[in-house]
Amino acid sequence: MNKENRIHCAALRSKVMSATEAASLIQSGMNVGMSGFTGSGYPKAVPSALAKHIMDANLNGKRFKIGVWTGASTAPELDGALAMVDGIEMRLPYQSDPTCRKRINAGEMEYIDIHLSHVAQFVWFGFLGKLDVAVVEVAGILEDGRLIPSSSIGNNKTWLDQADKVILEVNSWQSSQLEGMHDIWYGTQLPPNRQPIPLVRSADRIGEPYLRCDPEKVIAVVETHAPDRNSAFAPPDANSKLIAGHILEFLQYEVKKGRLPRELLPLQSGVGNIANAVMAGLNEGPFENLTAYTEVLQDGMLAMLKSGKLASASATAFSLSNEALAELNADLARYRERIILRPQEISNHPEVIRRLGVIAMNGLIEADIYGNVNSTHVMGSQIMNGIGGSGDFARNAYLSIFMTPSQAKNGAISCIVPMASHVDHTEHDVQVLVTEQGLADLRGLSPKQRAKAIIENCAHPNFRPALSDYYKRALQFSPGRQTPHLLEEVFGWHLRALRGERM
């Protein structure tokens, strides 16, 4: 399809305008819901035009800032461009842009880090205030005004429903064969009228393949032809392969003990190179007919779909390298039958995650000896990205696995510490902790037993003696023996790192 025939609705065709004209319809102080999730399906033209509009306003002495709400992370053309001109007053629920991160940590941009499953319902509840404008990328518009979703869905359904006004970007770069891959459920109700989500298998389709939008709310349609931000993944390094090996061995043991079926349970995998390494290990492993119920489909899962190891995958977005994207587009008609993209309020819904018995595998920044996990903050106060969907899955999964190299910064910093400097996932939500050193199965263990298992199995040998010494002294001198700590030195490791010393 070329861009001339992507807009089949006459009423919306009459609203086509330039990105600059569309951006001028957004006013300072507005809350703007943008499409986009992990670099897929974000608007490509309007945010950049809006950034120029904001820069011009700033040069004329006029303060111009907006609230930016998305599905998750986006791309430099959106987050980066708006942050560069200091145009974001409030950002939520997740970001990974270096310019955004710098402004947030400098106190120049407000940021709300939210569980991804909570965002849509918070907007419906009115907790976040009024949503003024939605800017949503789609792959096409049908004659009756229904919208063909793009390469991510994220919160688009909610943005289109809740925003007062809507700007659509119709991106002809997105494959027309995406049509039919999506599953949009319109059964969500507000309490006390909620009903169970009728999804009992990860491959179930419970909705419709199109997004709905009242044409009267659409104030602009912008035609684009631009690619998603596709991030290359590094080949699995030695540590990633070791982590993957420990997880595969553990899963095999669980099958042997009868706690998992031979085809396992639906897999969820966070974003990143370690997650891809685990998927590569599963692709070479003994398990067959696997399924996935996750938020992002990365290279590793696409390779498993291609090999046949993975029978189906449910997500809310793609996050693919250029090579993997070429593979997907070359055979999209076949992949479309086995991939389902859903709104993130469904892909990350605690009810569904618990019903399906998902195996959740996510990364971290640091974990402490009792199993509390910090996924978001460096040295306790500096945001990295955000909690994303890891909390949605960790608390509700059949198995909650967290994985990390045992040390960082070329061995200067231990990723296993006496006490986490920030806690996103408490010890109650962490069942398994894995580093290249080994795996600690924390199920059924008391805090003191967990500490021994984590130090012995997960800590790097360079830091294990110091952690053991800390624990022994805490056991002796702590005022309480349930979770022993020495409060006068518990963050000493972090303080040394902040001074530029080795932990």
Side-chain angles (χ1 to χ4, degrees):
M1 267 189 194
N2 58 40
K3 62 184 179 182
E4 279 70 32
N5 61 7
R6 289 290 181 102
I7 305 171
H8 297 291
C9 175
L12 294 183
R13 184 74 196 170
S14 67
K15 299 181 181 183
V16 171
M17 63 182 69
S18 71
T20 299
E21 292 171 317
S24 70
L25 301 175
I26 299 173
Q27 303 301 312
S28 181
M30 285 184 167
N31 288 322
V32 183
M34 304 265 194
S35 62
F37 199 109
T38 58
S40 294
Y42 60 92
K44 310 297 191 295
V46 172
S48 297
L50 178 59
K52 185 178 185 306
H53 185 62
I54 292 172
M55 182 176 66
D56 291 342
N58 291 340
L59 291 173
N60 289 319
K62 298 177 182 178
R63 185 176 182 273
F64 193 125
K65 288 193 174 188
I66 62 170
V68 176
W69 308 354
T70 62
S73 58
T74 61
E77 303 98 299
L78 196 163
D79 270 322
L82 292 172
M84 189 71 70
V85 297
D86 195 19
I88 303 177
E89 179 70 34
M90 172 68 77
R91 181 71 174 87
L92 63 88
Y94 184 93
Q95 61 76 42
S96 63
D97 182 80
T99 308
C100 269
R101 185 183 302 121
K102 183 178 179 180
R103 288 202 179 274
I104 292 166
N105 286 322
E108 299 168 355
M109 181 190 300
E110 298 300 325
Y111 177 49
I112 308 178
D113 179 20
I114 309 177
H115 294 298
L116 296 187
S117 70
H118 286 181
V119 182
Q121 68 173 6
F122 280 9
V123 175
W124 280 94
F125 295 166
F127 291 176
L128 303 178
K130 180 183 177 183
L131 181 60
D132 298 288
V133 180
V135 183
V136 175
E137 178 183 277
V138 297
I141 303 175
L142 303 180
E143 288 182 4
D144 60 6
R146 287 179 298 166
L147 310 174
I148 302 171
S150 182
S151 50
S152 72
I153 296 182
N155 286 315
N156 294 352
K157 168 186 168 290
T158 297
W159 299 165
L160 294 169
D161 285 343
Q162 291 292 298
D164 289 343
K165 300 175 181 178
V166 174
I167 297 172
L168 298 174
E169 283 198 10
V170 183
N171 187 357
S172 60
W173 177 87
Q174 298 284 5
S175 173
S176 60
Q177 294 189 69
L178 285 170
E179 185 175 0
M181 178 179 283
H182 311 84
D183 186 61
I184 318 297
W185 192 56
Y186 279 93
T188 303
Q189 300 291 329
L190 297 179
N193 300 312
R194 281 184 167 170
Q195 298 293 319
I197 298 169
L199 202 161
V200 297
R201 295 287 184 273
S202 60
D204 285 351
R205 290 182 177 272
I206 60 173
E208 55 196 74
Y210 305 107
L211 289 162
R212 305 174 189 171
C213 180
D214 179 0
E216 295 298 317
K217 297 202 317 186
V218 179
I219 57 173
V221 178
V222 178
E223 294 179 288
T224 66
H225 187 84
D228 284 332
R229 172 181 59 84
N230 301 308
S231 300
F233 292 99
D237 61 14
N239 282 345
S240 298
K241 289 179 180 179
L242 286 169
I243 291 170
H246 297 318
I247 292 175
L248 260 66
E249 184 179 359
F250 170 74
L251 294 175
Q252 288 176 281
Y253 180 75
E254 292 298 291
V255 172
K256 182 179 178 180
K257 297 294 287 184
R259 292 190 285 254
L260 282 174
R262 286 183 297 174
E263 67 277 12
L264 303 181
L265 289 166
L267 304 171
Q268 179 265 334
S269 175
V271 177
N273 291 321
I274 294 177
N276 260 321
V278 173
M279 293 301 107
L282 285 167
N283 202 22
E284 298 169 1
F287 306 112
E288 303 288 342
N289 201 33
L290 299 171
T291 59
Y293 192 84
T294 188
E295 56 189 6
V296 175
L297 197 151
Q298 297 185 100
D299 289 22
M301 280 192 179
L302 189 70
M304 292 175 69
L305 285 164
K306 182 179 181 180
S307 71
K309 286 281 188 177
L310 193 63
S312 64
S314 169
T316 194
F318 293 107
S319 182
L320 301 172
S321 67
N322 286 321
E323 294 76 14
L325 181 63
E327 163 64 30
L328 174 72
N329 285 333
D331 205 3
L332 193 53
R334 185 170 67 90
Y335 282 118
R336 188 175 58 207
E337 302 303 315
R338 299 162 64 200
I339 296 173
I340 304 172
L341 296 185
R342 312 180 191 274
Q344 70 190 65
E345 64 188 285
I346 302 298
S347 69
N348 289 50
H349 202 292
E351 172 195 334
V352 179
I353 293 165
R354 185 165 294 193
R355 178 184 298 132
L356 297 180
V358 170
I359 299 172
M361 297 175 283
N362 290 285
L364 56 83
I365 290 174
E366 65 180 3
D368 68 30
I369 59 175
Y370 296 110
N372 299 290
V373 164
N374 170 14
S375 295
T376 60
H377 284 71
V378 176
M379 297 296 154
S381 64
Q382 301 174 68
I383 193 73
M384 179 56 71
N385 298 330
I387 195 169
S390 59
D392 300 324
F393 285 93
R395 175 155 290 187
N396 300 287
Y398 181 85
L399 280 173
S400 172
I401 302 171
F402 281 91
M403 49 201 183
T404 179
S406 63
Q407 55 183 1
K409 299 293 183 182
N410 297 315
I413 293 176
S414 174
C415 295
I416 308 298
V417 295
M419 181 182 280
S421 60
H422 175 92
V423 176
D424 296 291
H425 311 281
T426 71
E427 60 187 281
H428 311 290
D429 301 328
V430 181
Q431 297 175 331
V432 179
L433 190 61
V434 194
T435 72
E436 82 286 353
Q437 298 298 319
L439 180 147
D441 183 355
L442 307 177
R443 295 172 298 174
L445 301 185
S446 71
K448 293 188 290 292
Q449 292 169 330
R450 292 162 73 95
K452 292 178 181 178
I454 290 171
I455 293 170
E456 291 172 5
N457 293 288
C458 299
H460 193 277
N462 291 345
F463 294 100
R464 193 176 296 143
L467 287 167
S468 296
D469 176 69
Y470 171 85
Y471 173 71
K472 289 175 183 176
R473 289 186 295 109
L475 194 60
Q476 183 177 1
F477 298 113
S478 174
R481 300 295 190 271
Q482 171 64 9
T483 309
H485 268 306
L486 301 175
L487 296 184
E488 66 273 17
E489 64 176 87
V490 74
F491 291 125
W493 291 42
H494 298 88
L495 292 172
R496 287 194 293 274
L498 286 171
R499 292 194 297 265
E501 303 170 10
R502 187 174 180 275
M503 270 189 172

